[in-house]
Amino acid sequence: MAIDQWLFDQCYHGNHPPTLRFYTWTPVAISLGRNQLTWPSHWQDLTWQGNPIELVRRPTGGRAVLHEGDLTYAISLPHPHRNRRQAYEDLCQFLIQGWQELGYSLRFGEPRRNYTHKANCFATATNADLVLGNGYKLIGSAQAWQGQTVLQHGSMRINPSPELTEQVFGQTIPEKDNTLHQIPEAVIISSLIAAAKTCFEATITCESLSPKELEAIEQVKLMQVVDNKLTRN
């Protein structure tokens, strides 16, 4: 999350080119939406496979996401349309195309009025999310804006644990697709990068963060910890 926030800020200030990154979570964590002020009290003491489940705050909106068995993507770039619906449609095209190449057809979900009353982001699919033909919500996405610069990141729910989902949310996973976990993670990422090159008409270079950049990101992490403590108090 801190890396996403830093890249977003740098892109907004013109100090860094647009970026696309993919990552997984170790250990398991729950990310809370920027404006999500309440969550179940038992989340403070959750553990999984002997490790505590950490609560982290996203810079984007939406509801809670359980990061286990998922692949997260994040993209930061200037966008000409501040209309969020249009931005989602534009930015999700590389996800739709990339997964189509893997044999999975995705469509946008439907608007939901009661979305904010649910703690679990994946309990419903809005028109910012992507679902399979059987209704399974594969990708939940959220945005943050600074001027004309947007950060969109989301979780691709590839192989979530039904047991942990029920422990956290008290819900089972509806119509879980048992073929998704058979695709190697590297193959998914490669397909999505190829789609991004086409959809954004861009040249993509894979680079690691420099020591100086990592140091700056550590400062963002410290600020997020302080902000989180102030919010809880």
Side-chain angles (χ1 to χ4, degrees):
M1 289 294 124
I3 295 176
D4 289 354
Q5 180 67 63
W6 186 82
L7 290 171
F8 177 37
D9 292 340
Q10 293 301 301
C11 185
Y12 168 66
H13 290 292
N15 299 326
H16 206 284
T19 57
L20 171 64
R21 62 185 296 256
F22 300 93
Y23 55 98
T24 56
W25 298 69
T26 303
V28 172
I30 298 172
S31 67
L32 303 169
R34 179 184 58 211
N35 301 316
Q36 187 172 357
L37 302 179
T38 61
W39 54 88
S41 59
H42 76 277
W43 287 7
Q44 305 292 142
D45 304 309
L46 287 171
T47 61
W48 180 246
Q49 297 180 342
N51 296 307
I53 297 178
E54 185 177 359
L55 295 176
V56 300
R57 177 73 66 181
R58 294 195 306 273
T60 58
R63 311 306 290 167
V65 175
L66 174 61
H67 296 285
E68 180 274 335
D70 71 327
L71 174 65
T72 302
Y73 79 92
I75 185 168
S76 298
L77 76 171
H79 194 278
H81 301 293
R82 184 61 194 266
N83 180 281
R84 296 197 175 197
R85 177 57 185 155
Q86 184 63 53
Y88 274 119
E89 289 186 0
D90 293 346
L91 297 180
C92 284
Q93 290 308 308
F94 88 96
L95 298 169
I96 294 172
Q97 181 175 314
W99 278 98
Q100 182 68 53
E101 291 297 320
L102 296 172
Y104 296 86
S105 295
L106 294 172
R107 60 176 172 81
F108 287 98
E110 301 295 332
R112 293 288 186 270
R113 290 185 178 181
N114 63 343
Y115 174 70
T116 58
H117 297 293
K118 298 180 181 295
N120 180 9
C121 170
F122 280 88
T124 184
T126 73
N127 55 8
D129 305 317
L130 295 172
V131 300
L132 295 172
N134 64 355
Y136 179 80
K137 180 175 173 178
L138 177 61
I139 307 176
S141 299
Q143 293 180 349
W145 288 82
Q146 296 187 74
Q148 293 297 122
T149 302
V150 60
L151 163 66
Q152 179 173 308
H153 57 190
S155 171
M156 292 176 268
R157 192 170 54 162
I158 297 169
N159 190 31
S161 164
E163 295 80 12
L164 182 57
T165 300
E166 187 167 3
Q167 178 185 343
V168 174
F169 297 112
Q171 300 169 333
T172 57
I173 298 173
E175 300 182 72
K176 180 182 176 183
D177 192 309
N178 292 318
T179 66
L180 290 168
H181 73 277
Q182 299 173 10
I183 310 173
E185 191 176 280
V187 172
I188 296 173
I189 294 173
S190 178
S191 182
L192 293 174
I193 290 176
K197 290 179 180 179
T198 301
C199 290
F200 301 128
E201 299 180 344
T203 299
I204 297 178
T205 303
C206 295
E207 294 183 359
S208 299
L209 293 165
S210 69
K212 185 176 181 180
E213 289 172 330
L214 290 172
E215 183 179 348
I217 291 166
E218 284 300 318
Q219 295 301 312
V220 175
K221 287 182 180 179
L222 291 175
M223 292 176 62
Q224 289 178 339
V225 169
V226 171
D227 288 343
N228 191 34
K229 288 182 177 179
L230 289 173
T231 300
R232 290 187 183 182
N233 291 336

